[in-house]
Amino acid sequence: MNLLDTVVMLMYFAVLIIAGFIGSIKAKSSEDFMLAGRNLGMFMYLGCLSAVILGGASTIGTAQLGYEHGISGIWFVAMIGLGIIALGTIFNKRISSIKVTTISELLGKKYNKETRYVSALIATIYTLMITVTQVIGIGSIISVLLDWNFILSMLVGGSIVLLYTILGGMWSVTLTDIIQFVVMTIGIFVFMLPISLSEAGGMGKLFSELPASHFNVLSIGIGDIFQYFLLFTLGMVVSQDIWQRIFTARSPSIARKGSVYAGLYSIIYAIAGSMIGMCAMVLLPNMGNTQNTFANFAIEVLPPGVLGFVLASVCSALMSTASGTLLASSTLITNDFIKVLYKNKSEKEIIFISRITTLCVGVVAITLAIWIQDVLVALDVAYAILSGAIFVPFVAALFLKNVKPKSGFYAIIVSTIIVMSGLMIEGLSSKNPIIYGMVSGIVVIVGFTLVTVNKKSYQQVNK
């Protein structure tokens, strides 16, 4: 990459840090720090939500799937979009009526404090693991583009995200996400997709050069599509980093409509990513490592300056997800553990604690990224536990009136054990343990209800 592209990348990083300082001025209360004061209008909410759901995996992974499977590569990100639409339309009204900061706080209100703690622990691990993978992704992009050492690249990229997140919390994350949303949109739809189609010879060339299966929307396989549904559609509904974005909306109407728009944007983004991968298949048919499809193809077809901007858009996707999950993880720890144990803290003390917690979580995430230096299989495990163990108690809490306080706690514990056991027996890539976890959660909650009803009936008969 030439000097112009390097300058573009470095200028972009400088803009993000400046936005972080601006966000620090606006974060005057703990609600400002964690939820941007619950005051985002439609455009800021849409950009913020779209940026966090479309991470580096969405961009790089969809291009890879498009290269390997064609248009059927859309399902990974399309299922994420479907989850956001479901959260905004089906669950948002009930969630917004309960003034909470985290999903575990809601579960604690509906069940008991033990349920709050165990769900917060699972959600914290999940958000931390996503942060780690994003730091690894940021490091891999920076090391290739700027020819830096991989560890140094992770340190620099992770530290930039950590810095602007600590400064202003959700306000800094929101301002940087708006920048990242604009950069992502221009990078993919204005530059990368049109240039890719032009270099590949247009749609006619794609139809003549690629196998027919690349134009079959189901060619990736029903099994994989269903797995994406279990992991990502259901995972989005109970994901703290997504919830935290939902809570930033100024009104339930903005949250609902913005979620639908963000979901539709995700599906369009998935189509663009898959088509970029298909164009890469035409021009670079013998690529060894298909995980590098997007980066290799960008280097091949984009002119200087534009290359730096487009690859900055990939960093944008990674950084927006990393900052969102980093803040989500620190919010869970602060809101569901520290604030519960140390009550009557002032707003300044809570913001200070939040910043220290964010710093500690960020240091742990960067350390794990440097130690592992590979995309974590554990991320799939975290998603599996989140969907398999949290989804059923969450839905029951929102839609059932007479759920028993202990049922949520035991449902999460039993489902987590079932999911983990299933993954160890059937393999980490199996989707079945998620189903086992959900079924066991239903059995526990229904079982508690029936036992309680029968116990009451028995007591009334024997009075």
Side-chain angles (χ1 to χ4, degrees):
M1 193 167 78
N2 62 29
L3 179 61
L4 178 59
D5 293 316
T6 302
V7 169
V8 170
M9 289 284 293
L10 295 178
M11 287 178 61
Y12 173 69
F13 293 152
V15 169
L16 293 182
I17 294 173
I18 293 170
F21 278 101
I22 295 173
S24 67
I25 298 172
K26 298 177 75 67
K28 297 178 180 179
S29 68
S30 60
E31 192 164 83
D32 287 337
F33 191 88
M34 295 178 186
L35 301 174
R38 302 181 190 264
N39 197 37
L40 298 190
M42 178 60 75
F43 175 73
M44 294 189 74
Y45 174 78
L46 172 61
C48 185
L49 184 58
S50 299
V52 74
I53 61 179
L54 295 173
S58 300
T59 305
I60 298 169
T62 302
Q64 178 184 358
L65 291 172
Y67 187 94
E68 296 172 352
H69 302 285
I71 197 64
S72 190
I74 67 171
W75 287 109
F76 164 41
V77 173
M79 286 301 179
I80 292 175
L82 182 62
I84 297 301
I85 292 172
L87 183 57
T89 55
I90 299 174
F91 299 98
N92 175 64
K93 186 176 180 179
R94 292 175 181 271
I95 293 170
S96 61
S97 65
I98 307 169
K99 286 290 183 180
V100 295
T101 302
T102 63
I103 183 173
S104 42
E105 185 180 357
L106 181 147
L107 292 174
K109 285 188 173 187
K110 290 292 184 176
Y111 296 106
N112 54 24
K113 62 181 181 180
E114 290 81 11
T115 307
R116 178 177 184 174
Y117 294 147
V118 71
S119 60
L121 179 61
I122 291 173
T124 299
I125 294 172
Y126 157 76
T127 51
L128 175 64
M129 298 307 283
I130 294 181
T131 306
V132 171
T133 60
Q134 300 306 303
V135 172
I136 294 170
I138 294 167
S140 65
I141 293 291
I142 293 175
S143 64
V144 170
L145 299 183
L146 302 182
D147 197 26
W148 289 358
N149 174 272
F150 185 39
I151 293 178
L152 175 63
S153 299
M154 285 190 287
L155 276 171
V156 172
S159 297
I160 291 171
V161 172
L162 180 56
L163 175 61
Y164 71 69
T165 306
I166 289 174
L167 286 172
M170 184 57 82
W171 268 118
S172 291
V173 170
T174 297
L175 294 175
T176 53
D177 276 356
I178 295 301
I179 297 169
Q180 290 160 344
F181 172 68
V182 172
V183 171
M184 286 165 54
T185 302
I186 294 174
I188 296 298
F189 293 102
V190 176
F191 292 131
M192 190 64 182
L193 180 59
I195 293 174
S196 297
L197 283 170
S198 176
E199 292 292 323
M203 289 299 297
K205 189 74 170 179
L206 294 184
F207 278 109
S208 62
E209 293 287 331
L210 296 176
S213 60
H214 268 54
F215 299 94
N216 180 358
V217 76
L218 300 177
S219 66
I220 199 170
I222 298 297
D224 282 348
I225 294 172
F226 184 58
Q227 184 172 10
Y228 291 147
F229 171 78
L230 291 176
L231 286 174
F232 302 118
T233 301
L234 302 187
M236 288 296 105
V237 172
V238 290
S239 180
Q240 172 61 28
D241 53 320
I242 308 303
W243 265 56
Q244 213 155 335
R245 291 304 200 283
I246 297 289
F247 293 151
T248 62
R250 184 179 299 155
S251 67
S253 175
I254 289 175
R256 183 180 67 256
K257 293 178 181 178
S259 299
V260 173
Y261 298 154
L264 294 175
Y265 177 87
S266 300
I267 295 171
I268 296 170
Y269 195 91
I271 295 171
S274 295
M275 292 188 66
I276 290 168
M278 294 165 70
C279 293
M281 182 66 175
V282 172
L283 292 180
L284 304 173
N286 299 312
M287 193 179 302
N289 184 2
T290 57
Q291 186 171 322
N292 296 327
T293 296
F294 190 94
N296 288 342
F297 190 52
I299 292 170
E300 178 76 19
V301 302
L302 297 179
V306 174
L307 174 62
F309 186 89
V310 168
L311 293 179
S313 73
V314 179
C315 280
S316 292
L318 289 158
M319 287 180 163
S320 59
T321 301
S323 61
T325 52
L326 172 61
L327 184 61
S329 189
S330 68
T331 298
L332 284 159
I333 295 171
T334 302
N335 190 72
D336 294 302
F337 294 106
I338 297 176
K339 283 180 68 175
V340 173
L341 294 174
Y342 301 98
K343 298 179 180 179
N344 301 320
K345 294 288 184 182
S346 68
E347 286 296 302
K348 286 187 177 181
E349 288 175 318
I350 293 172
I351 293 177
F352 177 75
I353 291 170
S354 297
R355 286 191 169 121
I356 295 298
T357 306
T358 303
L359 175 62
C360 294
V361 172
V363 169
V364 170
I366 294 171
T367 302
L368 288 174
I370 292 172
W371 177 43
I372 298 169
Q373 296 189 28
D374 197 359
V375 176
L376 299 173
V377 175
L379 181 61
D380 284 342
V381 177
Y383 258 117
I385 294 174
L386 193 70
S387 298
I390 302 294
F391 183 78
V392 168
F394 167 71
V395 172
L398 287 184
F399 293 97
L400 299 181
K401 292 183 178 180
N402 297 317
V403 287
K404 305 307 170 186
K406 292 183 179 180
S407 64
F409 173 73
Y410 286 109
I412 292 173
I413 295 294
V414 171
S415 296
T416 300
I417 294 172
I418 294 294
V419 171
M420 292 298 294
S421 301
L423 291 171
M424 287 188 286
I425 294 170
E426 298 192 12
L428 297 179
S429 62
S430 175
K431 61 181 177 294
N432 294 329
I434 303 174
I435 300 174
Y436 303 154
M438 288 182 175
V439 171
S440 63
I442 293 171
V443 170
V444 170
I445 290 175
V446 172
F448 261 91
T449 302
L450 292 177
V451 168
T452 303
V453 170
N454 290 335
K455 186 177 179 180
K456 286 182 177 180
S457 299
Y458 177 80
Q459 290 173 343
Q460 289 173 352
V461 169
N462 287 275
K463 279 184 178 180

